[in-house]
């Protein structure tokens, strides 16, 4: 099926080359399509790595292995297969991943555990080993490609390529953090998964890189939702080549650590929002701001209950300031809330305050706001200091068309 | 908007009159429509009552008061307003409910707490007291009506009227249990709520009636979902008039208690499934059978994760035996599951067993099954003895049309 480019798409940014990172792409023919579907990233010796993975207990072998590899903290290469998620394929799927790791390790003369593999696409079909072998052999000989080429090649049902870049000053060095990501539904028809890769030339100890990535994940990737369906393969990896020559960052006390953590957070947030912007059928980007909750965690869960509510998402699709549905979603979240302290607003205008619809509520500016592409929902629980921001998209006929009308 | 009758609709059953129960309907004009929208049920002196209510913390005054009233165990009347849910209306909404309770109590010469009130419809608009007063005055003079008339009058976006009946033998008496219910989305556009009312001529102590209703609720109303959105007003009440003259049931040890509990469970299950059959946009009824879980509770949560997954529901809408999406939903449920012990089937045919797609999986009978109106999904976790059955409907363009395309 041909998908139209999302109306919320953004142009691919200018990402400079990052010292120690070389990108290559090739055709492994995982599906009968005429496109590159295998991405290879070679990383300089000494590169450190951190990762966050899906919590779905039916995860793929790639995710299982990746979790173990990240603990070792070292990386030399990344291979991404598009068109086959290799999830729910048992030992046969695992063998295909181990074959790729061994093949690349032999080429680089490194440990197989230094080679990270991700796959995205159909569930339940073991990744074909012969296609993988030929694809890897071909990509190892391929010329270096651009960030955007790689971003396109890791995509499946994505309607636009997605990247983000930020810089941070560490002592006398300026480091670059660049990232690419794919994803549009948590699982799209026959396809799957959010996969994100972040690269920096900064020198960062793996434990601290993991700490920064995990912290950023909490308020970025863990705060986006398209359809509440958690993929079996979601993966975000961060690689630090150390080529910028800064004194390696090992803790938040080190000079430049806060700047690095903030820049990494910025890249994670922008990558996450690009996924929402490419949400299946999305016509509007929705930002849900929750404040006054008993804790930040509670605020995030309430935000996700709103962002996952089909009735809230269809109301926004219909440009309807239906705050009653927001009330319903707050109430069902299973978190502390007091109906008579609850306030709801759209685009900065309160519709209901402290448990009652506002008598002088003027829907005119709200109606204008809802006609736009970027919608803000504000919720104040009036209970405490906890807050969170969550991003989602509206639920439209496009989502049904993508997921029901076409057979996978 | 005019909604087409659900293709899953069932005819209204023959419910005999139940001694001690008199039904009346009238026009309160809660909306500018030409239909009865106020239902009144008079109950004989000595009627006992039990109830289960929404867990949504932003619940309506009706639900708050109903919870307190059920603890007293006595009922003389029920009033149901259609067209206005009176939820999120603060003290003004509560005053309207208390006015109705007082007005009916004066007429019957009973306590206001013996009068139960439910409301369903738009959120955030206080129930107009003047219309309620005139409506109640009118309904108290109205002639008795049929079960189906009452079932129609409590409805809002329902596309067919819903009732169920069962009999049980208690000693030398045969008792009747009849029920009516409304609901199609947990919250429909401008409308809301599942409301169910069950009446029996059996004599049942309120504590035991509550025990039977709560137990039935666990495996019936708590096992259905249309869109995962929990209304602010969901209510199921059971009234026992005692007119059958049996020795009052007080515990499961009493003669006839098990038959009564089973018949009540049967009515609850049939009423719950009728709501799913009228799910907004529903084209198919889906039964999810989960076995092999570590506990029944765990099985139910896994069943609901599957039944609430937009990707599973759109796959069924598309008649696509996409068992990978079922795997995904099992994995995200947050319950114990082992990918390599998991089996998935449709309509009695296994597609995947113990973590691997079946090599000899024949999709032909599954494809035929998925073309039908009633779809079975079987999941065996292979871990323990826990099991549960959950019912939902598919997610179609009709749901989007009802909830997004029309402004409320």
């Amino acid at each position: 099926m041909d998908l139209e480019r999302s109306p919320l798409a953004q142009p691919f940014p200018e990402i400079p080359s990052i010292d120690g990172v070389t990108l290559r792409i090739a055709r492994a023919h995982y599906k009968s399509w005429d496109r590159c579907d295998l991405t290879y990233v070679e990383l300089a010796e000494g590169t450190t790595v951190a990762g966050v993975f899906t919590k779905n207990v039916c995860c793929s072998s790639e995710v299982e292995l990746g979790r173990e590899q990240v603990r070792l903290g070292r990386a030399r290469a990344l291979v991404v297969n598009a068109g086959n998620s290799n999830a729910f394929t048992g030992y046969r799927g695992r063998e295909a991943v181990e074959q790729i790791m061994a093949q690349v390790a032999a080429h680089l003369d490194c440990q197989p555990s230094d080679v990270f593999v991700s796959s995205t696409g159909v569930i339940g079909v073991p990744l074909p080993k012969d296609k993988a072998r030929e694809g890897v052999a071909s990509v190892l000989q391929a010329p270096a490609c651009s960030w955007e080429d790689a971003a396109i090649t890791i995509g499946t049902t994505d309607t636009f390529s997605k990247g983000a870049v930020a810089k941070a000053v560490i002592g006398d060095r300026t480091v670059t953090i660049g990232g690419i990501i794919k994803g549009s539904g948590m699982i799209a028809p026959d396809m799957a998964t959010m996969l994100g890769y972040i690269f920096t030339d900064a020198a960062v100890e793996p434990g601290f890189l993991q700490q920064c990535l995990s912290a950023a994940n909490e308020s970025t990737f863990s705060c986006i939702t398209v359809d509440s369906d958690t993929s079996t393969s979601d993966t975000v990896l961060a690689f630090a080549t150390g080529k910028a020559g800064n004194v390696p960052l090992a803790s938040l006390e080190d000079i430049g650590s806060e700047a690095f953590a903030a820049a990494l957070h910025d890249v994670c947030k922008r990558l996450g929002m690009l996924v929402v912007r490419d949400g299946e059928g999305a016509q509007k980007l929705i930002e849900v701001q929750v404040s006054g909750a008993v804790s930040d965690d509670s605020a995030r869960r309430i935000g996700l209950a709103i962002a996952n509510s089909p009735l809230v998402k269809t109301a926004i699709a219909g440009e309807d300031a239906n705050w009653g549905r927001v009330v319903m979603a707050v109430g069902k979240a299973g978190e502390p809330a007091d109906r008579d302290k609850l306030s709801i607003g759209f685009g900065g205008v309160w519709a209901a305050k402290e448990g009652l619809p506002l008598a002088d509520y003027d829907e005119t500016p709200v109606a204008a706001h809802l006609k736009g592409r970027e919608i803000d929902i504000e919720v104040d629980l009036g209970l405490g200091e906890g807050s969170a921001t969550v991003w989602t998209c509206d639920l439209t006929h496009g989502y049904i068309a993508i997921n029901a009308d076409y057979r996978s």
Side-chain angles (χ1 to χ4, degrees), chain A residues 115-162:
Chain A
V115 180
F116 288 76
V117 180
S118 303
S119 303
T120 174
V122 63
I123 286 182
V125 179
L127 192 75
K129 287 195 212 173
D130 51 346
K131 290 183 178 177
R133 187 181 301 110
E134 287 170 31
V136 170
S138 160
V139 86
L140 292 174
Q141 307 303 324
C145 72
S146 70
W147 287 103
E148 185 162 17
D149 286 340
I152 291 168
T153 303
I154 66 172
T156 53
T157 50
D158 303 68
T159 76
F160 63 97
S161 54
K162 307 175 187 74

Side-chain angles (χ1 to χ4, degrees), chain A residues 1 69 91 103 154 176 191 194 212 216 240 253 269 313 336 380 404 408:
Chain A
M1 90 183 116
Q69 293 170 258
Y91 68 92
Q103 187 178 0
I154 66 172
T176 302
M191 303 284 189
M194 183 186 82
C212 293
E253 265 76 75
K269 178 178 169 184
K313 292 157 78 85
D380 184 349
S408 57

